[in-house]
Amino acid sequence: MDLAWLGRVDGDLLVVQMASGDLGAFGLSLGSSVHRDQSLFSKVLCGDLPSLIPDVQAEPRTSSLPVVAEFGIRSYAATPVTDAAGQVYGMVGCVGRQPCPSLRQRDAGFLRMLASFLTEFVIDLRRLWDERNAVWRQVREVLDAGGPRMAFQPVADLITGQTVGVEALARFPTGLPGPEELFADAAGAGVNIHLV
């Protein structure tokens, strides 16, 4: 499989929180979301699909799903992750760009074991998600206010007086953390690309 992931179910979305592999090869990044409608994850969650699909395009129930073509998925394995109260937190799984005929029930057992292990960490994952959402709200405030505004300041050679460069300074609305802190927080939450 090309990509392993952990996603949090948030309403009708599955939001990618952690991943190992090349998210970009599937057109995804941390924080990307997949809508429940016509998705593989929702069909696995409600029991309409098995947790392992060795060849998604050969399976009549999945071959015509838009998400299969959109993300170039050929093999899929996923299982729900629940919290300590038994409520669905999200899904853990993996996807491949090629069929994976070697997928067997023992692999489904491994995924269930991994999901069970993750149950103990869901509280920490929820905390991380809340922190990421707080940073994203701050970034949205900056963007909604038309920022960050850029100020350009010449850098002069003190001997010749000639401009030798330009320093770009990011200006943010008042009431938010300073640029250095907000850029660092945004990078840590994986949303810094929206500030550049």
Side-chain angles (χ1 to χ4, degrees):
M1 305 294 266
D2 299 299
L3 174 66
W5 50 268
L6 171 67
R8 178 177 191 260
V9 173
D10 187 13
D12 285 339
L13 301 176
L14 179 71
V15 183
V16 179
Q17 284 189 290
M18 297 178 184
S20 177
D22 187 2
L23 276 167
F26 292 91
L28 298 169
S29 62
L30 291 180
S32 292
S33 58
V34 177
H35 200 273
R36 183 181 293 266
D37 291 345
Q38 301 299 311
S39 69
L40 292 166
F41 88 86
S42 68
K43 295 184 180 305
V44 172
L45 268 178
C46 70
D48 289 345
L49 287 176
S51 60
L52 301 177
I53 308 171
D55 189 346
V56 174
Q57 292 180 5
E59 167 63 52
R61 296 174 291 179
T62 59
S63 60
S64 63
L65 292 176
V67 72
V68 170
E70 180 183 350
F71 295 120
I73 298 171
R74 287 300 305 270
S75 49
Y76 185 85
T79 196
V81 174
T82 58
D83 61 18
Q87 299 297 312
V88 172
Y89 169 81
M91 302 278 287
V92 63
C94 47
V95 292
R97 298 191 70 80
Q98 299 297 323
C100 189
S102 63
L103 281 177
R104 300 282 183 258
Q105 283 308 310
R106 63 181 160 76
D107 300 310
F110 173 76
L111 270 180
R112 285 190 299 273
M113 181 182 72
L114 180 59
S116 175
F117 173 76
L118 290 172
T119 294
E120 296 181 35
F121 298 96
V122 165
I123 292 171
D124 289 336
L125 292 172
R126 283 207 170 127
R127 181 185 51 77
L128 289 171
W129 179 252
D130 290 343
E131 289 172 4
R132 179 179 158 71
N133 277 344
V135 170
W136 177 239
R137 280 192 300 278
Q138 290 177 335
V139 169
R140 287 293 335 151
E141 280 183 51
V142 169
L143 297 175
D144 290 346
R149 288 183 304 104
M150 299 303 293
F152 299 96
Q153 177 175 307
V155 177
D157 181 317
L158 294 177
I159 295 173
T160 66
Q162 290 193 336
T163 300
V164 294
V166 176
E167 180 180 28
L169 305 169
R171 302 288 187 222
F172 292 91
T174 57
L176 291 175
E180 186 175 329
E181 184 181 345
L182 189 54
F183 275 116
D185 289 348
V191 296
N192 57 320
I193 189 68
H194 299 285
L195 291 175
V196 253

